[in-house]
Amino acid sequence: MKIVGLESLVFGVDDIGGAARFLVDYGLTPVELSDRGGRFEAMDGTAVVIARQDDPALPPGPVPGCRLRKTVMGVADEATLGAIAAELRRDREVRRLPDGSIESIDDAGFVLGFQLTARRPFVLAGEISNAPGGVVFRPVNSLGVPPPGSVIRPRSLSHVVYFVPDVVKAEAFYVNRLGFRCTDRFTGTGPFLQPGGSLDHHTHFLIGAPPHMHGVEHFTFHFGGPSEMITNGYRFVEKGYQAFWGPGRHILGSNWFWYFNSPFGCHIEMDADMDQHDASWRPREATASADNSQTFLLKMRKKWYPGPGIPENGDYA
Amino acid sequence: MATTRDGAPPGWVRLCRSDEIGEAQSRGFDPGDEGQDRLFVVRWQGQLHAWRNACPHVQGAPMAWRRDAYLNAAGTRIVCHAHGAEFMPDSGLCVQGPCRGERLSPIALVVDADGELFVKS
């Protein structure tokens, strides 16, 4: 099944204005914005959609309190859409919506949508590192650090992470019914999952958790590279948003990360430079400790050489 | 409590004027200049309450989604914007989410005769 990845995530919120400002400050572009909600797109058109939490058009979340109301995946062709519908109709309702998409539910209670992907292809070089002996270099006189005031935009909706009460059952649904592959696994926690039409290390990660945790841990968009992503993160912090973890780089998937609190009842991440794998990749397995999750974690310092403003005993405490 | 507008008695730290925090509003404070708010104050049904900015569901998890934004839109619950835990503003009891039944850590506060708000440092 050629599922190419996430197309959009739909949230029900209690403050449309606050959530909209948050997403714009994150870097997404608002379209169709009103006091009832809106759609906020990355460069390729993948998006976060928000609506009022009491909007009757929203499907229910998996549990009360979970603000994610629908996860929409893109597929490459009508054949895949038909194959998904036929497969899921074996044991559950599949609705065909007026826009041509289909809607059903996974085995953990998350409402799913599937549509022909509307991703807009674009070509824009990602971050390039200059290295002695390298093959690809940045153009001479171009700068590695995004200059102040430069526009930084998320490129594409990357992945979503679910807390699920039965991770074995949840994984089986995505692998056996929708053709996802496990790329790597945290022992006793859950799998990183890749759909058949993507090379990304993961578009889904499942975390086995007690029923009262059922919901979303985080979601994230890909940025053009670590320098761009971390610059965007610092701008986000300066606007008053609350960082949780990062900036750093994961081990499984190699993606650079920076996590923030959000008005969606879960974390939001900024990520960059995730590994790509094909079917020849052999999944690794590791315990989900902090040491196995961050290969390094960066810290800003305000002063880096002695001079005016440095306390008598230095700035190294 | 004997103090002046500019100073605080030993063991207490001045945060702000108490009337700067309106009904159903919250505000974070970083009295130690640690770079992240250590505590926040909410006014709920007229009374001020101070809580450590640390959700019990993950050790030390900061709770606001934006500076001073610790409450839901209606101002009726403290919300941890990491994983959605909801707390009563007056008792700190978690009533929904990943740490249901647990409580936020309270911080002693006092308002002096001039209306200045202090917390235990």
Side-chain angles (χ1 to χ4, degrees):
Chain A
M1 287 178 179
K2 289 189 176 170
I3 298 171
V4 301
L6 298 175
E7 201 79 9
S8 61
L9 296 170
V10 182
F11 290 92
V13 300
D14 63 357
D15 175 8
I16 294 289
R21 186 175 148 201
F22 178 90
L23 293 170
V24 170
D25 286 343
Y26 177 92
L28 296 167
T29 301
V31 294
E32 302 169 12
L33 181 57
S34 77
D35 61 355
R36 299 192 53 79
R39 178 182 174 88
F40 299 80
E41 292 188 346
M43 292 174 69
D44 69 349
T46 54
V48 170
V49 176
I50 60 171
R52 292 185 189 171
Q53 59 187 3
D54 56 0
D55 188 328
L58 285 180
V63 289
C66 177
R67 294 190 169 179
L68 178 66
R69 306 293 281 271
K70 186 173 179 179
T71 301
V72 181
M73 287 176 256
V75 306
D77 46 45
E78 280 287 351
T80 298
L81 211 53
I84 293 169
E87 171 62 34
L88 297 185
R89 280 204 176 102
R90 289 169 48 212
D91 65 350
R92 68 199 69 202
E93 183 187 3
V94 177
R95 294 171 294 280
R96 174 76 68 165
L97 303 186
D99 63 5
S101 69
I102 59 175
E103 185 175 279
S104 192
I105 193 166
D106 75 2
D107 278 353
F110 290 94
V111 171
L112 305 180
F114 300 90
Q115 67 172 62
L116 284 180
T117 183
R119 291 179 177 215
R120 299 187 292 262
F122 65 92
V123 175
L124 181 62
E127 182 166 344
I128 298 169
S129 297
N130 291 336
V135 176
V136 178
F137 293 82
R138 280 197 307 278
V140 171
N141 297 323
S142 68
L143 306 177
V145 174
S150 57
V151 174
I152 297 174
R153 294 192 58 204
R155 294 187 172 216
S156 186
L157 185 54
S158 168
H159 60 269
V160 65
V161 178
Y162 297 145
F163 287 120
V164 294
D166 184 340
V167 71
V168 173
K169 185 179 176 190
E171 177 180 355
F173 173 82
Y174 284 93
V175 171
N176 298 333
R177 308 296 297 280
L178 296 179
F180 280 60
R181 286 189 292 258
C182 169
T183 50
D184 282 322
R185 179 184 306 280
F186 276 134
T187 310
T189 299
F192 293 89
L193 296 174
Q194 176 197 66
S198 172
L199 294 175
D200 271 5
H201 177 268
H202 60 286
T203 62
H204 291 63
F205 175 45
L206 306 177
I207 300 175
H212 61 269
M213 293 290 294
H214 199 166
V216 178
E217 204 299 311
H218 72 266
F219 65 97
T220 173
F221 287 80
H222 289 311
F223 284 75
S227 301
E228 194 177 283
M229 186 215 94
I230 294 170
T231 299
N232 199 59
Y234 275 108
R235 292 179 183 177
F236 205 49
V237 168
E238 285 171 2
K239 287 173 179 157
Y241 297 105
Q242 175 64 60
F244 174 72
W245 180 27
R249 191 165 199 182
H250 284 309
I251 297 175
L252 302 183
S254 298
N255 44 310
W256 293 80
F257 65 83
W258 201 345
Y259 295 89
F260 300 84
N261 285 0
S262 86
F264 306 110
C266 62
H267 287 133
I268 189 171
E269 182 191 353
M270 298 172 188
D271 82 74
D273 196 9
M274 176 183 276
D275 290 333
Q276 297 197 328
H277 298 295
D278 61 18
S280 69
W281 173 251
R282 302 190 53 165
R284 297 165 293 179
E285 187 154 346
T287 56
S289 63
D291 283 349
N292 280 338
S293 300
Q294 55 198 356
T295 184
F296 42 72
L297 197 63
L298 309 183
K299 189 178 177 208
M300 185 78 122
R301 66 178 304 113
K302 292 178 180 173
K303 301 277 185 186
W304 63 276
Y305 62 92
I310 293 289
E312 190 177 332
N313 59 355
D315 187 32
Y316 296 89
Chain B
M1 183 176 158
T3 183
T4 67
R5 186 155 301 195
D6 299 317
W12 292 80
V13 58
R14 178 187 178 277
L15 298 183
C16 65
R17 286 195 53 81
S18 62
D19 57 11
E20 290 175 28
I21 303 172
E23 181 63 30
Q25 289 183 351
S26 59
R27 187 162 158 188
F29 295 94
D30 178 19
D33 198 19
E34 299 162 19
Q36 176 167 294
D37 289 346
R38 182 165 61 83
L39 64 107
F40 62 98
V41 178
V42 300
R43 188 184 292 278
W44 166 248
Q45 297 178 340
Q47 296 295 310
L48 291 170
H49 304 273
W51 304 103
R52 268 172 42 80
N53 179 23
C55 183
H57 86 287
V58 173
Q59 189 177 13
M63 298 173 66
W65 65 274
R66 190 171 63 206
R67 190 170 295 131
D68 300 332
Y70 292 86
L71 302 175
N72 62 356
T76 54
R77 295 276 192 283
I78 295 165
V79 180
C80 175
H81 293 87
H83 297 113
E86 297 190 10
F87 303 84
M88 295 306 298
D90 52 353
S91 66
L93 178 68
C94 179
V95 293
Q96 178 171 298
C99 43
R100 188 178 306 169
E102 296 185 56
R103 287 179 190 273
L104 298 173
S105 300
I107 293 177
L109 66 77
V110 67
V111 177
D112 74 3
D114 294 328
E116 300 288 327
L117 172 60
F118 298 84
V119 292
K120 280 274 195 189
S121 62

